[in-house]
Amino acid sequence: MDRWDRLAVPLSLSLSGATLLSLVGGRYRIDALRCSSWPSLQTNLWAAALFLLAVSLLSVGWLRLLRLCQREAGPSARQIVCAGMVLYFVAGMGPPALSDDPLFYAALGRAQAEYQASPYQPLCQIMPADDALLQRLIPHWRCGRSPYQAGFHVLASGLAWASRGSLVMLLRCFQAVAGLSLLAAGGLTALALRGSTLRPAYGAALVVFNPLSVIEGPASAHNDALLALSCAGFVLAWQRGQRGGVLLAHGAGLLVKVSSLLLSGLLFAALALRRLAPQLDRVRQRRGFRGLLVLSAALALLGLGGWLFYARPEALFGPSHLPWEHCTRSIECLPRSILRSILHRPREALFVGVASRLLAGIWLGYVAWRASQQPHGLLRWLGAGLLIYYLYLHPWSQSWYLLSLLPLAPWLGLRMSRALRVVSISACAYYAAVLVGNCLEDELAIAAFDLVEALIVLVPPTVSLLRQRQDG
C-alpha cells in the first residue's frame, strides 16, 4: 500500500472536522456577529454539538495519524506537511469565530498603517469614535493598548497596509500567517528528530495535525502560532548544538510576546545553574549552609510577596480598576472570584493571587534546577515544567497558549506526552460552552460557565496524569 493511501483515512477524518469547523466559523464570525445579534439558545446548542463533532473528528484523525507515523512504512514528514496545507486551507475557509483577539490585532495594525500612531496608545484616542472596527471590539478593549512587541507590530502594520482597508482580508491574512507558522513549526520539529529514535513524521504530525493547531491557528489566527515557530527553531538549534540559532530563535519569540520569556528564562536559568554547579557543590559542604539557604529563601519570598501585594503589577494581576478578578479557567480563579464577588473581600482575593504567583515562581525555579541537573533531559524538563505551569499555575488560562509547547512534545516523557495530547483535545472542547454562554450578563451565570469551562479543560489531563502515576 502506498504511503499516500495510508494517509487517506486520518486525513479524511481531519478534513471532515475542518469542514464542520469552517461552517461554525461562518455562522459565528467575529467580524459580523456581536452579542446584540447573538443566535438563539437552540441555535447555539446545535452549533455546540456540531463543534464537538468537529473536535472529535480532528482528534480521531490526529491520533490515528500519530500511530501510523510511528511505523516504518508510515508517511514521511514531507507528506505530513503537504497534507497539513490542505487541512489548514479547509479549516481557514471559515472566518475567525471563537475569539475576538484577531479583531484586536486588526485594530493595532490599522492604528499604525492608517493613523501612523503608536500601538501603545489607547485605541480610542487613535481611531475615530464611529470607526466600525473600533465599535466591533468589546467595550473594555476599545481603549486598550498593545500587550505585544515590536516584531508583531511590524507584521500587523504590514498586513493592514496590504489588506487595503478590508477587515475580511486582514483577518484572512492573520489566519494565513498563523497557519504557515504552524506548518513551518511542524517541519522544523521533524528536522530536529532526525537521528533520534522517533520518526521525523511523528514530530510533524504532533504539531501540524494537532486539533489545537488546527483550531487556534488557521481557524482562529492566534499570534501564539509565531511562538510555536520560535520554539521549534530553538529545539532544532539546540539539538544541532547551534548557539547562535538558539539565541536567534528566542530573540524572535521575544519580538512577538513577553510570554516567550517563560521558555527563554527557564532555559537560561538552567544553563546558569549548570555553570554554577561546581561552586554550589563546594558551598553546600560548609556547615550551616542549609539553614542559611532556607532562611534566605524565606526572607526572599516574604519580600517578593510584600512587593507583589502592594505594587500589584498590572502584567500579573490585571488593571486595578477591573470590577472582577483578572483570571479565568484556572484553579486559583475560583477562590479569588468567590472572595471578591460573593464575600466582597478583594484584599483576601489578592492574597490568593500573590500566593499563587509565588507558588508558580517556586515551581519554575525547581524546573530550572532539575533541567540543569540533566543535560540530556533539558528539553523534557522545559516542556513538562511549562505544561504543568499552564495547566495549574497560570491565572489567565487560554488554550492557544499551549501552541508554544507543541514543538517540545516529542521530548516529553510518556506521562507528560499523554497529558499534552489529552489537553490538546480538552482545551478545544471547552469552546462548545463558549458558543452557548458567550453573551451572558448575569454574574452568577458567567461564573458558572467559567467553572464548567475550567473543568472541561483541566479534569481530563489531570485524570491522565494521576492514572499514569498510579500505573507507574
Side-chain angles (χ1 to χ4, degrees):
M1 182 182 295
D2 183 76
R3 290 185 176 186
W4 280 109
D5 294 335
R6 295 177 186 274
L7 195 57
V9 173
L11 180 58
S12 297
L13 290 168
S14 296
L15 286 174
S16 299
T19 301
L20 295 179
L21 187 63
S22 294
L23 292 175
V24 173
R27 181 65 181 88
Y28 290 83
R29 54 189 304 158
I30 59 175
D31 60 327
L33 186 64
R34 298 286 86 189
C35 282
S36 59
S37 57
W38 203 253
S40 65
L41 176 61
Q42 183 178 8
T43 300
N44 295 335
L45 290 173
W46 276 108
L50 193 68
F51 179 80
L52 287 176
L53 179 58
V55 173
S56 300
L57 290 168
L58 287 169
S59 302
V60 173
W62 177 50
L63 295 175
R64 290 192 61 155
L65 183 60
L66 289 179
R67 289 194 293 271
L68 183 62
C69 287
Q70 291 175 344
R71 302 172 186 170
E72 196 60 39
S76 66
R78 181 176 298 178
Q79 288 174 315
I80 296 297
V81 174
C82 289
M85 292 180 184
V86 179
L87 175 64
Y88 283 14
F89 176 80
V90 174
M93 288 174 62
L98 302 173
S99 168
D100 282 349
D101 280 24
L103 281 180
F104 195 66
Y105 303 163
L108 294 175
R110 285 189 57 192
Q112 299 173 90
E114 296 185 25
Y115 300 102
Q116 289 75 50
S118 167
Y120 298 115
Q121 291 180 251
L123 288 172
C124 59
Q125 296 178 12
I126 300 171
M127 306 171 75
D130 60 349
D131 185 276
L133 175 53
L134 187 66
Q135 291 302 312
R136 284 190 179 95
L137 296 177
I138 53 180
H140 65 274
W141 278 11
R142 292 172 190 169
C143 286
R145 309 166 190 262
S146 173
Y148 309 116
Q149 301 304 304
F152 182 71
H153 294 153
V154 171
L155 175 64
S157 176
L159 294 180
W161 176 85
S163 65
R164 304 294 183 182
S166 170
L167 177 59
V168 173
M169 180 61 68
L170 183 50
L171 293 176
R172 293 295 191 192
C173 288
F174 282 118
Q175 287 179 287
V177 168
L180 291 172
S181 297
L182 287 166
L183 288 170
L188 293 179
T189 304
L191 289 175
L193 282 174
R194 286 184 175 178
S196 71
T197 56
L198 293 174
R199 296 185 69 241
Y202 178 77
L206 269 174
V207 176
V208 173
F209 273 73
N210 191 310
L212 202 63
S213 296
V214 179
I215 291 173
E216 303 295 3
S220 296
H222 283 290
N223 61 5
D224 290 74
L226 295 167
L227 298 189
L229 178 57
S230 168
C231 179
F234 150 65
V235 170
L236 176 61
W238 180 263
Q239 287 296 96
R240 294 186 173 183
Q242 299 171 345
R243 294 183 180 180
V246 169
L247 292 174
L248 181 63
H250 283 283
L254 292 173
L255 285 173
V256 177
K257 291 181 74 172
V258 174
S259 61
S260 63
L261 274 174
L262 282 169
L263 178 59
S264 300
L266 274 181
L267 171 67
F268 293 115
L271 296 178
L273 287 172
R274 186 180 299 175
R275 280 187 170 273
L276 290 173
Q279 289 82 358
L280 292 175
D281 286 337
R282 286 195 293 268
V283 174
R284 194 181 304 161
Q285 296 172 2
R286 296 180 181 178
R287 184 178 300 178
F289 169 74
R290 291 185 179 179
L292 181 62
L293 180 63
V294 171
L295 178 61
S296 300
L299 292 175
L301 286 173
L302 285 173
L304 180 59
W307 179 80
L308 289 173
F309 182 80
Y310 289 104
R312 191 176 179 175
E314 186 172 307
L316 295 178
F317 300 101
S320 58
H321 64 270
L322 287 179
W324 59 83
E325 287 296 300
H326 188 71
C327 60
T328 186
R329 286 183 294 279
S330 62
I331 291 177
E332 71 181 78
C333 201
L334 183 61
R336 283 174 62 179
S337 298
I338 290 174
L339 285 168
R340 181 164 181 169
S341 301
I342 299 178
L343 301 179
H344 305 293
R345 292 181 174 273
R347 185 181 179 89
E348 284 75 5
L350 184 55
F351 279 143
V352 175
V354 169
S356 300
R357 301 289 71 70
L358 293 177
L359 181 60
I362 292 171
W363 167 252
L364 293 175
Y366 172 74
V367 170
W369 176 72
R370 289 302 302 267
S372 71
Q373 301 295 304
Q374 300 182 17
H376 300 293
L378 184 137
L379 294 180
R380 179 171 66 88
W381 269 102
L382 292 182
L386 289 175
L387 176 59
I388 295 298
Y389 170 79
Y390 278 123
L391 280 176
Y392 305 114
L393 299 171
H394 194 66
W396 194 262
S397 174
Q398 301 288 7
S399 56
W400 54 84
Y401 295 165
L402 296 171
L403 289 177
S404 62
L405 303 185
L406 296 184
L408 290 166
W411 286 269
L412 295 175
L414 181 61
R415 184 182 174 200
M416 289 295 174
S417 181
R418 286 180 176 173
L420 181 57
R421 291 189 202 180
V422 172
V423 77
S424 293
I425 298 171
S426 66
C428 296
Y430 94 91
Y431 280 121
V434 173
L435 293 173
V436 176
N438 185 57
C439 292
L440 294 172
E441 296 182 356
D442 180 75
E443 289 188 6
L444 186 59
I446 292 172
F449 265 86
D450 201 49
L451 177 59
V452 169
E453 292 167 8
L455 293 174
I456 293 172
V457 174
L458 292 175
V459 169
T462 302
V463 171
S464 173
L465 286 170
L466 293 176
R467 180 178 296 173
Q468 290 177 63
R469 184 173 184 178
Q470 293 171 356
D471 293 344

